[in-house]
Amino acid sequence: MNSKPFSFIDDLKWNKFISKNTLITGMGVLAVGYEFTAISLTLLIVLSSLHITGKEKPLFEGLLVSSGYLGMVTGGIIFGLLSNKGRKKYYGVDVLLMGIGSALQFLVSDTLELVLLRALIGVGVGADFVLSPVIIAENSNSADRGKAIAIGRVVMITLGDIVASLVFLGLLLSHVSPSLLWRVTLSLGAVPALGTFYLRRKLPDTVRYLGRVKGDLKALNEAARQITGKEIKIRDITVDNTPAAVYFKRNWKLFLTSALLWSLLDLNIGIKEFGPTLIAHRIGITDPAVYKIVTDLGFALPGAFLGLWLIDKGRKLSQAVSLVSLVFILSLFVALRDVLSDVGLFLLISTYYFAYNIGTHPIIGTGLPAVELAPTKVRGLVQGIVVAVAKAGGAVGTLVFPLLVHQYGLIGAFIPSITIYIVMLLLYLLVIPETGKKPLEEVSMEVVEGQKAEDK
């Protein structure tokens, strides 16, 4: 077998199909960003509207957040296992679950119902975190694979944040009742999710899945035609009959490190979610929607665009710039906390979003190392495991950070985070190989011998 069986896509220049594949995939991620931001903006209003007070308040506040993370863990495991039954087969089920869960939020009558719906949405999000990067990577050219994932995940999830903030702010300025405010804000997440379901049904399955897992030459040739815009006749391709256990035994250290990196990143998610907000209140930015719009437009999106330029120049370069910047920003904040004004502290901590999106989010925060280092046959399963481990870390992070702030103050919460980022930098540079601009089969050391596929 040709050692570069997918050279027709690996050597391709960025074209109309790659743009369409990236944007349609990213629309589901936009729905994810909308959902995350919508619940954070409306959480306190929800609890008040549903008459949750006193000792019940912190319990249900935690449940509404953690149920989503538990759903993501479940969705990651389930859809990681299902991914080899067909990438496209389940690509749409993820956004369908998000869409149904979002729409039903308008009708809930008590907090328990909302907790269950947030868990259902979380299952869809976990599934999307597995399938989206796998599908983008397997249907992208080698030179732009990182850029495609960064657009589909980082840029689109930030746009989802902005859309949710604008919807919330618009409803707030319209003086609708609190009950209607949170119901409409949350349920409108169904629009991008269900719209994406229809569009995703029109995407072809990935060429690597069709060739290396399913062994369907007819479908593979049709997918190759759609991707390249040319008639490409692939006459044979080798189905990967290597036992999955062989890949896990050989690459376990890389898979484990990928999972650990994302889990550590999500353990630090409290800084991103709570840190700048605490400073924003000191300078009069008390509306969470205004805060999100300012930080997303002023810091997160510019960081994402710089990340697009860096990511395919080298994963290690992009990651090093991002993690070193995060350590520097947090260390500077700790050192200057009694020197800078509140405005200065807010601007300093808001650069966290900028540095985060340069490389840490588009690489570690998408599971890109696992996607690129896992062979096609186990790629979905490995990504599912990584997502589940990462979101378990996120569940812990969202609970621990507020406790640290309450017990030791913002500085006491930042110091462990600095240590975590230093550990992540060392792990990435010492364990994860450079994967940029190389075919997936090369970086994953995929075995290419096996049984030839035939036309079906």
Side-chain angles (χ1 to χ4, degrees), residues 145-180:
R145 186 171 62 240
K147 187 185 292 94
I149 287 180
I151 293 171
R153 287 293 306 274
V154 182
V155 173
M156 297 302 284
I157 204 168
T158 306
L159 291 177
D161 290 348
I162 294 170
V163 171
S165 299
L166 290 172
V167 168
F168 177 83
L169 198 57
L171 290 168
L172 195 65
L173 294 174
S174 299
H175 303 293
V176 299
S177 68
S179 178
L180 196 59

Side-chain angles (χ1 to χ4, degrees), residues 374-388:
T376 304
K377 185 172 184 177
V378 296
R379 184 169 291 124
L381 176 58
V382 170
Q383 179 69 354
I385 294 170
V386 169
V387 168

Side-chain angles (χ1 to χ4, degrees), residues 354-431:
F354 180 86
Y356 185 81
N357 276 355
I358 291 173
T360 306
H361 187 184
I363 296 175
I364 293 176
T366 62
L368 184 56
V371 169
E372 294 186 313
L373 294 170
T376 304
K377 185 172 184 177
V378 296
R379 184 169 291 124
L381 176 58
V382 170
Q383 179 69 354
I385 294 170
V386 169
V387 168
V389 172
K391 296 310 155 186
V396 173
T398 54
L399 293 173
V400 169
F401 187 84
L403 293 175
L404 288 175
V405 171
H406 178 74
Q407 188 72 27
Y408 304 107
L410 200 55
I411 304 307
F414 278 5
I415 291 174
S417 297
I418 293 170
T419 305
I420 287 173
Y421 282 134
I422 293 172
V423 171
M424 287 172 61
L425 178 62
L426 293 173
L427 272 177
Y428 193 94
L429 294 181
L430 295 177
V431 180

Side-chain angles (χ1 to χ4, degrees), residues 436-451:
K437 294 185 180 294
K438 298 175 183 177
L440 289 172
E441 290 69 37
E442 178 184 336
V443 296
S444 67
M445 298 177 288
E446 188 168 313
V447 176
V448 296
E449 293 83 12
Q451 173 189 348

